[in-house]
Amino acid sequence: MGSRTPLYVGLATCLIAATAGAQLNTAQQKCINALNKDVAKLASVQGKANLACLKNAGKGKLPIGQSADVCLLADTKGKLAKAQDKVADHYADLCTVDPPAFGLPSGTAAVVASVPADQSLALLADVFGASLSNAAIACADKASCSCQQAVSKGYEKIAKTQLKTFVACKKAALKAGATSASALADCVDDVGTLTSVAADAKGKIGKAVTKLGDTIVKKCPTPDVDTSLAVPGVCAGRTGSALATCIAHLVSCRVCLTLNLTDGLSVDCDLFDDAALNLSCPRNTFSLKSPAEPADTPGSPGVVSVLPALATQQGGGAGGVNLNNARFTRYRLSDTTTEPDAVLILIPGFEGGANDFKLLAENLIPRVATDQGLVLEVWAYDRRSNQLEDTVGLDIAEANDSAQIGLNWLFGTELTLPLSPELVPLGRHAIFFNGQSDTAFIANWTPLTFSRDIDAIVDKARTVAKNGNVFLGGHSAGTGFAARYAATNFNLTGTGPAVPGYAKLRGIVLLEGPGGSTGYALSADTLDRIEAKFDGGLFGAVRDNAARCV
């Protein structure tokens, strides 16, 4: 018979139909359109500041004692602060009385105002490396200095054009009656939406990319300019059109991340930037499409309606909720490191999440680099149930450094507290779900479901790590998930050779846990009786409050 692992019993309920989203009124559209213009302006202001710092560093004209890196954050003329104040004014005047149900940034004005500048600085680091002070070439080397400035101007033009394209597309979509965030996301990555960034129907983005390529050929000629020194970031070593294409991908990544964060979108930026799922777009947390599509789960075939509260919490509208995702947080030594020597995927324990491994990753990764001279990445897995955690208010609390906002978000309903001003645009406190009346579909999330989720991450890691050097680990209850994965046959056709999980791994790391063991050997009769108990399906058993599931 072979060994078998008992099913873990989940919770269950029926799906409840959600009401369709409504078109935003004129005032709500005005709010969103104003903020989007502000976002584009902020990105442009920071981009110009970046170029000025690069120029002044090359010409030796930075203030005495000021490095290029300090210059980037100095905002000497107050232009960035002025643009950020404008966001706050528009937010207060246009967005607080009747906030839009979608399309608003998932945070406060302070969050909106910080994102474009942060992503602009991150783009600069992508292109020129982590330190502009180290990258900036003195203009005594006229060719290299000129190359750096031309590249900076060129990629900022691409970013500006992409943002302008999105602003126009989104405004038209709202006017035409868009009813969900997914309709606005089409303005980023849907080639079928002719006015989208991806479609580039007018060819303006493509023209900017081509111009960057021509500029690189003219301003960064080999052998006069060593582009590995002039452009020492992610694209180091490339020349000509290859360098332009690489930089254009970096721009697309950062623009996409900006719009996701400022507009509450969920575009797959990793796919959008270069049309490949290759983790080329740096971010902390990734969601991969899982091959597992359990019955009754939002996003699975045939599931056309969901609980209204779930649709609200997920922010995708009734038809936009998909929980069939494999989510993980990526910890690495540097954003510019593209091929680690190994990837360690870690699964948290009971009631844990990816953040459990933050301190471990922050200590382990530099230790391995120092002691072994190897580049290690740690990918921390969030089980699909973590998607049901309503954390947007906590993000706002963190952005404002306010525990009081967090308290209001989590317990405001129970304590009958009015919404904190920062939460008013969201119009609600945190949403929590009843295991039996709200989220019945979890009963169908079997161990195989989680193994297939993990498999999506393992497959991705194998494309990133050198020689497919992927290790899978778990802590406490997570060791059971790791052991189960290793023992799973992923050939689900019933014919042909097995495809065991362990064959995709270099090794397994089990931290303080039983590794999936029951603690004693189960007899065949016991296993048969366990399976018989589950006959008829977990979904109905838990939904109907069957005695064995209480």
Side-chain angles (χ1 to χ4, degrees):
M1 181 182 295
S3 62
R4 293 173 289 184
T5 303
L7 296 174
Y8 297 111
V9 180
L11 301 176
T13 189
C14 294
L15 296 175
I16 301 174
T19 57
Q23 180 180 354
L24 301 184
N25 61 40
T26 302
Q28 292 169 329
Q29 293 182 41
K30 188 175 181 180
C31 154
I32 292 175
N33 291 329
L35 284 177
N36 270 139
K37 287 183 179 179
D38 291 343
V39 165
K41 177 66 175 178
L42 271 168
S44 177
V45 169
Q46 184 64 62
K48 289 178 180 178
N50 297 347
L51 178 58
C53 291
L54 176 62
K55 280 185 175 181
N56 290 332
K59 293 179 179 180
K61 292 185 177 181
L62 290 173
I64 296 175
Q66 186 185 75
S67 67
D69 292 330
V70 172
C71 173
L72 294 172
L73 303 176
D75 191 25
T76 305
K77 297 182 179 180
K79 291 183 178 180
L80 184 66
K82 184 177 180 180
Q84 290 175 326
D85 288 343
K86 193 171 183 179
V87 172
D89 292 341
H90 281 158
Y91 201 92
D93 295 342
L94 303 175
C95 304
T96 55
V97 176
D98 185 18
F102 63 90
L104 244 193
S106 57
T108 64
V111 177
V112 182
S114 65
V115 167
D118 289 345
Q119 290 300 324
S120 177
L121 289 168
L123 176 58
L124 180 76
D126 291 340
V127 176
F128 291 113
S131 172
L132 186 63
S133 297
N134 293 335
I137 296 175
C139 289
D141 181 350
K142 185 176 180 180
S144 296
C145 175
S146 177
C147 168
Q148 286 191 327
Q149 293 177 25
V151 166
S152 181
K153 286 181 181 178
Y155 78 68
E156 285 294 344
K157 177 63 175 179
I158 298 172
K160 183 176 181 178
T161 306
Q162 288 188 341
L163 286 169
K164 186 176 181 179
T165 300
F166 173 78
V167 169
C169 177
K170 184 176 180 181
K171 183 177 181 179
L174 290 169
K175 188 175 181 179
T179 58
S180 70
S182 60
L184 305 183
D186 287 344
C187 282
V188 180
D189 65 343
D190 180 28
V191 293
T193 301
L194 295 182
T195 54
S196 71
V197 177
D200 187 27
K202 296 182 179 180
K204 292 183 178 181
I205 298 170
K207 184 178 179 180
V209 175
T210 299
K211 187 174 181 180
L212 174 62
D214 294 341
T215 298
I216 289 173
V217 171
K218 182 179 180 180
K219 295 289 187 178
C220 309
T222 55
D224 297 347
V225 175
D226 183 350
T227 54
S228 64
L229 296 177
V231 190
V234 175
C235 302
R238 294 174 174 83
T239 59
S241 60
L243 178 58
T245 299
C246 179
I247 292 174
H249 291 165
L250 297 177
V251 174
S252 294
C253 163
R254 292 300 177 181
V255 168
C256 180
L257 291 176
T258 297
L259 296 175
N260 271 354
L261 292 167
T262 59
D263 292 74
L265 307 182
S266 55
V267 178
D268 187 335
C269 297
D270 182 39
L271 181 61
F272 171 72
D273 68 341
D274 60 0
L277 287 169
N278 55 4
L279 298 182
S280 56
C281 187
R283 54 180 171 180
N284 290 328
T285 301
F286 291 79
S287 284
L288 304 176
K289 185 180 185 301
S290 173
E293 296 180 328
D296 307 301
T297 297
S300 293
V303 180
V304 295
S305 59
V306 300
L307 187 73
L310 180 61
T312 298
Q313 185 241 48
Q314 293 290 308
V321 177
N322 187 346
L323 298 180
N324 293 322
N325 302 304
R327 192 171 76 181
F328 66 96
T329 297
R330 184 185 191 187
Y331 299 100
R332 53 181 172 165
L333 196 63
S334 167
D335 280 353
T336 61
T337 301
T338 56
E339 190 180 31
D341 293 298
V343 172
L344 171 60
I345 302 169
L346 290 175
I347 304 169
F350 182 65
E351 292 191 336
N355 202 51
D356 290 1
F357 299 112
K358 183 176 186 291
L359 292 179
L360 173 63
E362 290 175 347
N363 284 277
L364 180 62
I365 291 171
R367 176 76 176 269
V368 170
T370 300
D371 292 355
Q372 306 295 329
L374 297 174
V375 177
L376 172 70
E377 290 191 7
V378 173
W379 294 10
Y381 170 56
D382 265 327
R383 281 179 284 270
R384 56 173 54 208
S385 52
N386 289 100
Q387 297 175 89
L388 299 175
E389 297 171 346
D390 196 7
T391 61
V392 61
L394 298 180
D395 294 336
I396 293 173
E398 184 176 357
N400 286 272
D401 195 23
S402 171
Q404 186 62 38
I405 295 175
L407 175 70
N408 188 290
W409 173 252
L410 292 173
F411 304 110
T413 301
E414 289 76 6
L415 299 175
T416 64
L417 300 175
L419 283 173
S420 296
E422 296 81 3
L423 300 176
V424 168
L426 296 176
R428 63 181 180 85
H429 292 105
I431 293 174
F432 299 94
F433 301 108
N434 181 291
Q436 289 186 315
S437 63
D438 295 339
T439 54
F441 48 81
I442 296 180
N444 292 323
W445 294 357
T446 65
L448 179 59
T449 296
F450 290 102
S451 288
R452 298 187 75 190
D453 291 348
I454 296 167
D455 193 50
I457 301 174
V458 170
D459 282 345
K460 178 56 61 180
R462 282 165 55 85
T463 69
V464 173
K466 288 181 181 177
N467 303 315
N469 291 329
V470 177
F471 296 80
L472 181 65
H475 169 253
S476 189
T479 61
F481 286 87
R484 168 71 192 221
Y485 173 85
T488 297
N489 175 13
F490 289 98
N491 179 357
L492 304 180
T493 65
T495 61
V499 182
Y502 68 79
K504 299 183 178 185
L505 306 173
R506 295 298 188 207
I508 299 180
V509 181
L510 304 180
L511 306 171
E512 301 176 328
S517 170
T518 60
Y520 59 91
L522 298 179
S523 68
D525 176 65
T526 299
L527 291 169
D528 288 340
R529 285 187 287 110
I530 289 172
E531 291 184 354
K533 279 287 187 182
F534 296 138
D535 188 35
L538 296 179
F539 182 88
V542 179
R543 177 198 63 209
D544 298 336
N545 207 30
R548 67 177 184 274
C549 296
V550 175

